[in-house]
Amino acid sequence: MITKSFLKNDAALWAQFREDDRLALKELYFLYVDALFCFGKSFTKDHTLIEDCLQDLFLELWDKRKQLDLVESVKAYLFTALKRKIVRRLQERKRKNGLHTEMGFQFQAILSLEEVIIEAENVQTQLRRAYNAINKLSKREKEAFHLRYTEGFDYNEISEIMEISNQASRNLVHLALRNIRKELFQFSSIISMMLFFF
């Protein structure tokens, strides 16, 4: 859970970086690079592309620092910016390759469910069932679910990252949870009980 003091520190770093403080930008980079890289893997398995987009993102931030506004959530801003860069790069690749299929990325859930079912008798079976339930979600449901329960974003931040309304972000998360519960209900698993109380 992100504390208020952390968020203040986060906002302070953003303000310092906008005032030409390279160390503040470097600190922001190290605070978020791992989470951003994991988020990038949700859209593509091409690690080089993710690394290039991350490098481009932070170079662009530095170049445009004077034009940037103060932001409510630095994390949400960075996630949104990285997502846009990756999607744009994948669309460019698709155009260059002349493909006429659906966009070449698919959101993959990257979840750590072991903590939820650690006391279960058969951890591997439960994980497989949960993973299968999550993978049956639509791409948008998976993305909303990941942002809410893995990254801890609130609905305003999710709506910003996904470029949808606040209500649409709530609807997607609710639909994802309902579909996962439905899939897991027959097994009466610990996971379905936990999801029921989210």
Side-chain angles (χ1 to χ4, degrees), residues 35-44 49-50 53-54 57 75-91 103 105-107 139-144 146-147 153 157-164 172:
L36 286 165
F37 187 80
C38 279
F39 184 62
K41 288 194 296 186
S42 303
F43 295 97
T44 179
L49 184 145
I50 300 167
C53 288
L54 273 169
L57 170 61
K75 185 178 180 183
Y77 180 90
L78 294 174
F79 269 59
T80 303
L82 180 64
K83 176 186 173 181
R84 287 180 183 160
K85 282 193 172 299
I86 290 172
V87 169
R88 196 175 309 120
R89 192 75 66 90
L90 290 171
Q91 288 172 333
M103 183 180 293
F105 74 88
Q106 185 171 359
F107 195 90
K139 289 187 287 187
R140 299 291 275 174
E141 289 169 355
K142 284 181 200 174
E143 184 177 358
H146 173 80
L147 291 171
F153 286 116
E157 293 168 329
I158 293 170
S159 65
E160 182 184 330
I161 292 167
M162 295 185 71
E163 298 176 330
I164 55 177
L172 278 171

Side-chain angles (χ1 to χ4, degrees), residues 13-169:
L13 283 172
W14 184 263
Q16 289 169 350
F17 132 73
R18 289 174 65 239
E19 295 299 321
D20 302 330
D21 187 338
R22 284 181 184 266
L23 289 177
L25 181 63
K26 186 176 179 180
E27 196 167 337
L28 284 170
Y29 174 84
F30 285 112
L31 272 174
Y32 290 115
V33 67
D34 291 336
L36 286 165
F37 187 80
C38 279
F39 184 62
K41 288 194 296 186
S42 303
F43 295 97
T44 179
K45 293 178 182 176
D46 186 341
H47 291 190
T48 303
L49 184 145
I50 300 167
E51 289 167 0
D52 288 348
C53 288
L54 273 169
Q55 183 177 2
D56 289 350
L57 170 61
F58 280 89
L59 286 172
E60 191 175 295
L61 285 174
W62 182 253
D63 289 342
K64 296 183 176 178
R65 64 193 177 279
K66 292 297 186 187
Q67 292 102 40
L68 295 174
D69 295 324
L70 290 172
V71 294
E72 282 186 38
S73 169
V74 174
K75 185 178 180 183
Y77 180 90
L78 294 174
F79 269 59
T80 303
L82 180 64
K83 176 186 173 181
R84 287 180 183 160
K85 282 193 172 299
I86 290 172
V87 169
R88 196 175 309 120
R89 192 75 66 90
L90 290 171
Q91 288 172 333
E92 288 168 5
R93 181 185 286 177
K94 179 183 150 187
R95 278 193 298 274
K96 284 180 184 174
N97 293 337
L99 299 176
H100 299 291
T101 56
E102 188 180 339
M103 183 180 293
F105 74 88
Q106 185 171 359
F107 195 90
Q108 299 289 329
I110 301 172
L111 300 172
S112 175
L113 297 174
E114 283 91 348
E115 291 177 7
V116 180
I117 60 171
I118 199 72
E119 300 302 323
E121 246 180 77
N122 189 342
V123 174
Q124 290 303 319
T125 301
Q126 294 290 359
L127 281 171
R128 192 166 30 257
R129 287 175 181 161
Y131 183 77
N132 289 340
I134 291 166
N135 274 337
K136 288 183 181 179
L137 299 175
S138 72
K139 289 187 287 187
R140 299 291 275 174
E141 289 169 355
K142 284 181 200 174
E143 184 177 358
F145 183 84
H146 173 80
L147 291 171
R148 180 76 179 121
Y149 295 110
T150 304
E151 296 301 332
F153 286 116
D154 64 31
Y155 291 109
N156 288 330
E157 293 168 329
I158 293 170
S159 65
E160 182 184 330
I161 292 167
M162 295 185 71
E163 298 176 330
I164 55 177
S165 70
N166 183 289
Q167 187 58 50
S169 70

Side-chain angles (χ1 to χ4, degrees), residues 175-188:
L175 191 58
L177 289 173
R178 190 181 70 186
N179 288 336
I180 292 170
R181 278 198 301 269
K182 183 178 171 185
E183 191 68 27
L184 296 177
F185 181 73
Q186 60 182 322
F187 303 114
S188 300

